[in-house]
Coordinates of all heavy atoms in Angstrom, one line a residue:
Chain A
T163 N -8.6 27.1 -9.6 CA -9.7 26.8 -10.5 C -10.1 25.4 -10.4 O -11.3 25.1 -10.5 CB -9.2 27.1 -12.0 OG1 -9.0 28.5 -12.1 CG2 -10.3 26.6 -13.0
K166 N -13.0 25.2 -8.1 CA -14.1 26.3 -8.1 C -15.4 25.7 -8.4 O -15.6 24.7 -9.0 CB -13.7 27.4 -9.1 CG -12.6 28.3 -8.6 CD -12.4 29.5 -9.4 CE -11.2 30.3 -8.8 NZ -10.9 31.5 -9.6
I167 N -16.4 26.4 -7.9 CA -17.8 26.0 -7.9 C -18.6 27.1 -8.5 O -18.3 28.3 -8.3 CB -18.3 25.6 -6.5 CG1 -17.7 24.3 -6.0 CG2 -19.8 25.6 -6.4 CD1 -17.8 24.0 -4.6
Y168 N -19.7 26.8 -9.3 CA -20.5 27.8 -9.9 C -21.6 28.2 -8.9 O -22.3 27.4 -8.3 CB -21.2 27.2 -11.1 CG -22.1 28.2 -11.8 CD1 -21.5 29.3 -12.5 CD2 -23.5 28.2 -11.7 CE1 -22.3 30.2 -13.1 CE2 -24.3 29.2 -12.3 CZ -23.7 30.2 -13.0 OH -24.4 31.2 -13.6
E170 N -24.9 29.9 -8.2 CA -26.2 30.2 -8.9 C -26.7 31.6 -8.5 O -27.3 32.3 -9.3 CB -27.3 29.1 -8.6 CG -26.8 27.8 -9.0 CD -28.0 26.8 -9.1 OE1 -29.0 27.0 -8.5 OE2 -27.8 25.8 -9.9
Q171 N -26.4 32.0 -7.3 CA -26.9 33.3 -6.8 C -26.1 34.4 -7.5 O -26.6 35.5 -7.8 CB -26.8 33.4 -5.3 CG -28.0 32.9 -4.6 CD -28.0 31.4 -4.6 OE1 -27.0 30.7 -4.7 NE2 -29.2 30.8 -4.6
G173 N -23.7 33.9 -10.2 CA -23.4 33.7 -11.6 C -21.9 33.7 -11.9 O -21.5 34.0 -13.0
S174 N -21.1 33.4 -10.9 CA -19.7 33.4 -11.0 C -19.1 32.1 -10.5 O -19.8 31.4 -9.7 CB -19.1 34.6 -10.3 OG -19.4 34.6 -9.0
V175 N -17.8 31.8 -10.8 CA -17.2 30.6 -10.2 C -16.3 31.0 -9.1 O -15.5 32.0 -9.2 CB -16.4 29.8 -11.3 CG1 -17.3 29.2 -12.3 CG2 -15.4 30.7 -12.0
K181 N -13.7 20.2 -3.4 CA -14.4 19.1 -4.0 C -13.4 18.0 -4.6 O -13.8 17.1 -5.2 CB -15.3 19.5 -5.1 CG -14.7 20.3 -6.3 CD -15.8 20.7 -7.3 CE -15.3 21.7 -8.3 NZ -16.4 22.0 -9.3
Y185 N -13.9 13.9 -6.3 CA -13.4 13.4 -7.5 C -12.3 12.3 -7.3 O -12.2 11.3 -8.1 CB -12.9 14.5 -8.4 CG -14.1 15.3 -8.9 CD1 -14.6 16.3 -8.2 CD2 -14.7 14.9 -10.1 CE1 -15.8 17.0 -8.7 CE2 -15.8 15.5 -10.6 CZ -16.3 16.6 -9.9 OH -17.5 17.2 -10.3
M262 N -7.4 24.1 -15.8 CA -7.8 25.3 -16.5 C -9.3 25.5 -16.4 O -9.7 26.7 -16.4 CB -7.4 25.2 -18.0 CG -5.9 25.0 -18.2 SD -5.0 26.5 -17.6 CE -3.3 25.9 -17.7
T263 N -10.0 24.4 -16.2 CA -11.5 24.5 -16.1 C -11.8 23.6 -14.8 O -11.3 22.6 -14.7 CB -12.2 23.9 -17.4 OG1 -12.0 24.9 -18.4 CG2 -13.7 23.7 -17.1
P264 N -12.8 24.1 -14.0 CA -13.1 23.4 -12.7 C -13.5 22.0 -12.9 O -14.1 21.6 -13.9 CB -14.2 24.3 -12.2 CG -14.0 25.6 -12.7 CD -13.5 25.4 -14.1
L265 N -13.1 21.1 -12.0 CA -13.6 19.8 -11.9 C -15.1 19.7 -12.1 O -15.9 20.5 -11.5 CB -13.3 19.1 -10.6 CG -11.9 18.6 -10.4 CD1 -11.6 18.4 -8.9 CD2 -11.7 17.3 -11.2
G266 N -15.6 18.9 -13.0 CA -17.0 18.7 -13.2 C -17.7 19.6 -14.2 O -18.9 19.4 -14.5
F267 N -17.0 20.5 -14.7 CA -17.5 21.4 -15.8 C -17.2 20.6 -17.1 O -16.1 20.0 -17.2 CB -16.8 22.7 -15.8 CG -17.2 23.7 -14.8 CD1 -17.7 23.2 -13.6 CD2 -17.1 25.0 -14.9 CE1 -18.1 24.1 -12.5 CE2 -17.5 25.9 -13.9 CZ -18.0 25.5 -12.7
E268 N -18.0 20.8 -18.1 CA -17.8 20.1 -19.4 C -16.4 20.5 -19.9 O -15.9 21.7 -19.8 CB -18.8 20.6 -20.4 CG -18.9 22.0 -20.7 CD -20.0 22.5 -21.6 OE1 -20.7 21.6 -22.2 OE2 -20.2 23.7 -21.8
A269 N -15.7 19.5 -20.5 CA -14.3 19.7 -21.0 C -13.3 20.1 -20.0 O -12.2 20.5 -20.3 CB -14.3 20.7 -22.1
D271 N -10.3 19.7 -17.5 CA -9.0 19.0 -17.5 C -8.7 18.5 -16.0 O -7.6 17.9 -15.8 CB -7.9 19.8 -18.1 CG -7.7 21.1 -17.4 OD1 -8.7 21.7 -16.9 OD2 -6.6 21.7 -17.4
K308 N -0.6 31.7 -20.6 CA -2.0 32.0 -20.3 C -2.9 32.0 -21.5 O -4.0 31.5 -21.5 CB -2.1 33.4 -19.6 CG -3.4 33.6 -18.8 CD -3.3 34.9 -18.0 CE -4.7 35.3 -17.4 NZ -5.1 34.5 -16.3
D309 N -2.4 32.5 -22.6 CA -3.1 32.5 -23.9 C -3.5 31.1 -24.4 O -4.6 30.9 -24.8 CB -2.4 33.3 -25.0 CG -2.3 34.8 -24.6 OD1 -3.1 35.3 -23.9 OD2 -1.3 35.4 -25.0
L310 N -2.5 30.2 -24.3 CA -2.7 28.9 -24.8 C -3.4 28.0 -23.7 O -3.8 26.9 -24.0 CB -1.4 28.2 -25.1 CG -0.6 28.8 -26.3 CD1 0.7 28.1 -26.5 CD2 -1.5 28.7 -27.6
A311 N -3.6 28.6 -22.5 CA -4.2 27.8 -21.4 C -3.5 26.5 -21.1 O -4.1 25.4 -21.0 CB -5.7 27.6 -21.6
Chain B
T186 N -28.1 31.9 -18.7 CA -27.1 30.9 -18.0 C -27.1 29.6 -18.7 O -26.1 28.9 -18.8 CB -27.6 30.8 -16.6 OG1 -27.4 32.0 -15.9 CG2 -26.8 29.7 -15.8
K189 N -24.2 29.4 -21.0 CA -23.0 30.1 -20.7 C -21.8 29.0 -20.7 O -22.0 27.8 -20.5 CB -23.0 30.8 -19.3 CG -23.8 32.1 -19.4 CD -23.7 33.0 -18.2 CE -24.5 34.3 -18.4 NZ -24.5 35.1 -17.2
I190 N -20.6 29.6 -21.0 CA -19.4 28.8 -21.2 C -18.4 29.3 -20.3 O -18.3 30.5 -20.1 CB -19.0 28.8 -22.7 CG1 -20.0 28.0 -23.6 CG2 -17.6 28.4 -22.9 CD1 -19.8 28.2 -25.1
Y191 N -17.5 28.4 -19.8 CA -16.5 28.9 -18.9 C -15.3 29.3 -19.7 O -14.8 28.6 -20.6 CB -16.0 27.7 -18.0 CG -14.9 28.1 -17.0 CD1 -15.2 29.0 -15.9 CD2 -13.6 27.8 -17.2 CE1 -14.2 29.4 -15.1 CE2 -12.6 28.2 -16.4 CZ -12.9 29.0 -15.3 OH -11.9 29.4 -14.4
E193 N -11.5 30.0 -20.0 CA -10.3 29.7 -19.3 C -9.4 30.9 -19.2 O -8.6 31.0 -18.2 CB -9.6 28.6 -20.0 CG -10.4 27.3 -20.1 CD -9.6 26.1 -20.4 OE1 -8.5 26.2 -20.9 OE2 -10.1 25.0 -20.0
Q194 N -9.5 31.8 -20.1 CA -8.6 33.0 -20.1 C -9.1 34.0 -19.0 O -8.3 34.6 -18.4 CB -8.6 33.7 -21.5 CG -7.5 33.1 -22.4 CD -7.9 31.7 -22.9 OE1 -9.1 31.4 -23.1 NE2 -6.9 30.8 -23.1
G196 N -11.6 33.3 -16.6 CA -12.0 32.7 -15.3 C -13.5 33.0 -15.0 O -13.9 33.0 -13.8
S197 N -14.3 33.3 -16.0 CA -15.7 33.6 -15.8 C -16.6 32.9 -16.7 O -16.1 32.3 -17.7 CB -15.9 35.1 -15.9 OG -15.4 35.5 -17.2
V198 N -17.9 32.9 -16.4 CA -18.8 32.2 -17.3 C -19.5 33.3 -18.2 O -19.9 34.3 -17.7 CB -19.9 31.4 -16.6 CG1 -19.2 30.2 -15.9 CG2 -20.6 32.2 -15.6
K204 N -24.8 26.5 -27.3 CA -24.5 25.0 -27.1 C -25.8 24.2 -27.0 O -25.8 23.1 -26.7 CB -23.6 24.8 -26.0 CG -24.0 25.3 -24.6 CD -22.9 24.9 -23.6 CE -23.1 25.5 -22.2 NZ -22.1 25.2 -21.3
Y208 N -26.7 19.8 -26.9 CA -27.4 19.0 -25.8 C -28.7 18.5 -26.4 O -29.1 17.4 -26.0 CB -27.6 19.9 -24.6 CG -26.3 20.0 -23.9 CD1 -25.4 21.0 -24.2 CD2 -25.9 19.1 -22.9 CE1 -24.1 21.1 -23.6 CE2 -24.6 19.1 -22.3 CZ -23.8 20.2 -22.7 OH -22.5 20.2 -22.1
M285 N -30.4 27.4 -14.0 CA -29.7 28.1 -12.9 C -28.2 27.8 -13.0 O -27.4 28.7 -12.6 CB -30.2 27.5 -11.6 CG -31.7 27.8 -11.3 SD -32.1 29.5 -11.3 CE -33.9 29.4 -11.3
T286 N -27.8 26.7 -13.6 CA -26.4 26.4 -13.8 C -26.2 26.0 -15.3 O -27.1 25.3 -15.8 CB -26.0 25.2 -12.8 OG1 -25.9 25.7 -11.5 CG2 -24.6 24.6 -13.2
P287 N -25.2 26.5 -15.9 CA -25.0 26.2 -17.4 C -25.1 24.7 -17.7 O -24.6 23.9 -17.0 CB -23.7 26.8 -17.7 CG -23.5 27.9 -16.7 CD -24.1 27.3 -15.4
L288 N -25.6 24.4 -18.9 CA -25.5 23.1 -19.4 C -24.1 22.5 -19.4 O -23.2 23.2 -19.8 CB -26.0 23.1 -20.9 CG -27.5 23.1 -21.2 CD1 -27.7 23.6 -22.7 CD2 -28.1 21.7 -21.0
G289 N -24.0 21.3 -18.9 CA -22.7 20.7 -18.9 C -21.8 20.9 -17.7 O -20.8 20.2 -17.5
F290 N -22.3 21.8 -16.8 CA -21.6 21.9 -15.5 C -22.2 20.9 -14.5 O -23.4 20.6 -14.6 CB -21.8 23.3 -14.9 CG -21.1 24.4 -15.6 CD1 -20.7 24.3 -16.9 CD2 -20.8 25.6 -15.0 CE1 -20.0 25.4 -17.6 CE2 -20.1 26.7 -15.6 CZ -19.7 26.5 -16.9
E291 N -21.4 20.5 -13.6 CA -21.9 19.5 -12.6 C -23.2 20.1 -11.9 O -23.2 21.2 -11.6 CB -20.8 19.2 -11.5 CG -20.3 20.4 -10.8 CD -19.2 20.1 -9.8 OE1 -18.8 18.9 -9.6 OE2 -18.7 21.1 -9.2
A292 N -24.1 19.2 -11.7 CA -25.4 19.5 -11.1 C -26.2 20.5 -11.9 O -27.1 21.2 -11.3 CB -25.2 20.1 -9.6
D294 N -29.1 22.0 -14.1 CA -30.5 21.7 -14.4 C -30.8 21.9 -15.8 O -32.0 21.8 -16.2 CB -31.4 22.6 -13.5 CG -31.0 24.1 -13.6 OD1 -29.9 24.4 -13.9 OD2 -31.9 24.9 -13.3
K331 N -34.9 34.4 -6.4 CA -33.4 34.4 -6.6 C -32.7 33.6 -5.5 O -31.7 32.9 -5.8 CB -32.9 35.8 -6.8 CG -31.6 35.9 -7.5 CD -31.2 37.4 -7.8 CE -29.8 37.5 -8.2 NZ -29.5 37.1 -9.6
D332 N -33.1 33.8 -4.3 CA -32.4 33.2 -3.2 C -32.6 31.7 -3.2 O -31.6 31.0 -3.0 CB -33.0 33.7 -1.8 CG -32.6 35.2 -1.6 OD1 -31.6 35.6 -2.2 OD2 -33.4 35.9 -0.9
L333 N -33.7 31.2 -3.6 CA -34.0 29.7 -3.7 C -33.5 29.2 -5.0 O -33.4 27.9 -5.1 CB -35.4 29.4 -3.5 CG -36.1 29.7 -2.1 CD1 -37.5 29.4 -2.1 CD2 -35.3 28.9 -1.0
A334 N -33.1 30.0 -5.9 CA -32.7 29.6 -7.3 C -33.8 28.7 -7.9 O -33.5 27.6 -8.5 CB -31.3 28.9 -7.2

Side-chain angles (χ1 to χ4, degrees):
Chain A
T163 294
K166 285 192 178 174
I167 288 167
Y168 182 74
E170 300 198 340
Q171 275 71 31
S174 57
V175 293
K181 60 179 171 180
Y185 288 87
M262 299 298 168
T263 287
L265 279 163
F267 287 23
E268 56 182 357
D271 54 334
K308 202 172 167 77
D309 293 333
L310 294 178
Chain B
T186 294
K189 285 193 178 174
I190 287 168
Y191 182 74
E193 300 199 338
Q194 275 71 32
S197 57
V198 293
K204 59 179 171 181
Y208 288 88
M285 298 299 169
T286 287
L288 278 164
F290 288 24
E291 55 183 359
D294 54 334
K331 200 172 169 74
D332 293 333
L333 295 178

